[in-house]
Amino acid sequence: VLTADVSTTGGADPCEEVITIMWDVTDCDGNSLVAPDEQIFTIQDMAEPTGASTLADVGPIDACLADALTATEASSSVASEIAQLEIDYIDDCTTVTATNTGDVVDAGGTDCSWSVTRTYTVEDGCGNFVAGPITVTHTGGDVTPPTGTNNLADAGPIDACLVDALTATETASPTASEIATLESDYSDNCGAAVTATQTSEVVDAGGTDCSWSVTRTYTVEDACGNFAAGTITVTHTGGDVTPPTGTSTL
């Protein structure tokens, strides 16, 4: 006669259960084995969580390189991404835990273009990890225009004939000095220098020797190609205020 005594340990542990079976053989005369045969079965959860990350890359985020990590967190928090991963993955025995193992700013990043790569692990309650790193990349750069106020002052009246309007205007208020003023008037949110550029210099089509105007137009741009809002202009006026010269021959 073959009999078995089965005992189980670790039943409350979702990660491991041990089943012990004691086998005994008795013949027709009631004789049994001197020592029953013992079999031990150890059952462990060694399966990793299953699922797929639904985290989406985020960008572009408007921020300077120095603020990349802070801006990324504000745009898509680590806590929200962890919560999503803990929905995306499931385990057959226990709950899963997602952990952020690092946020890395791309070493080649600039104020104009940067990226932050976040890495996560997903683990079940028995120490089984999802294979391979789980990453999500957030990108950004400075898209904020320079700010400031145009402090260029109109010049005039400038004593010059219409034909000399451009030359006289340059003498009265050099383009270079106006550019320098604008580059002081405006600033960039990332702290980089701004560049002012004269885009046109137009003599009023209705001007005469007695009254003319020259309108200069400028742009102010930061290092990332963002331009200050609005049209930046300064108008210089002039005309002939020089008396006639000569000597009477009467």
Side-chain angles (χ1 to χ4, degrees), residues 123-250:
E123 179 185 13
D124 68 14
C126 301
N128 302 305
F129 289 88
V130 170
I134 301 169
T135 61
V136 60
T137 301
H138 302 315
T139 57
D142 174 25
V143 294
T144 299
T147 56
T149 302
N150 170 19
N151 288 315
L152 294 181
D154 295 342
I158 301 168
D159 182 13
C161 305
L162 179 63
V163 69
D164 299 320
L166 291 178
T167 303
T169 295
E170 178 63 21
T171 300
S173 185
T175 298
S177 68
E178 293 183 352
I179 285 175
T181 297
L182 287 173
E183 291 178 350
S184 296
D185 291 342
Y186 287 82
S187 62
D188 178 56
N189 62 305
C190 292
V194 299
T195 301
T197 304
Q198 185 192 91
T199 57
S200 67
E201 188 176 48
V202 179
V203 179
D204 175 28
T208 66
D209 282 332
C210 302
S211 178
W212 51 260
S213 66
V214 172
T215 301
R216 287 172 172 170
T217 303
Y218 293 92
T219 60
V220 175
E221 179 184 10
D222 68 16
C224 298
N226 304 304
F227 288 88
T231 302
I232 301 171
T233 61
V234 59
T235 300
H236 302 312
T237 57
D240 176 19
V241 293
T242 300
T245 59
T247 302
S248 169
T249 57
L250 292 178

Side-chain angles (χ1 to χ4, degrees), residues 111-138:
D111 283 330
C112 304
S113 178
W114 51 260
S115 66
V116 173
T117 300
R118 285 177 170 165
T119 303
Y120 293 93
T121 59
V122 174
E123 179 185 13
D124 68 14
C126 301
N128 302 305
F129 289 88
V130 170
I134 301 169
T135 61
V136 60
T137 301
H138 302 315

Side-chain angles (χ1 to χ4, degrees), residues 52-65:
S53 167
T54 61
L55 294 182
D57 294 343
V58 176
I61 301 168
D62 181 14
C64 309
L65 178 62

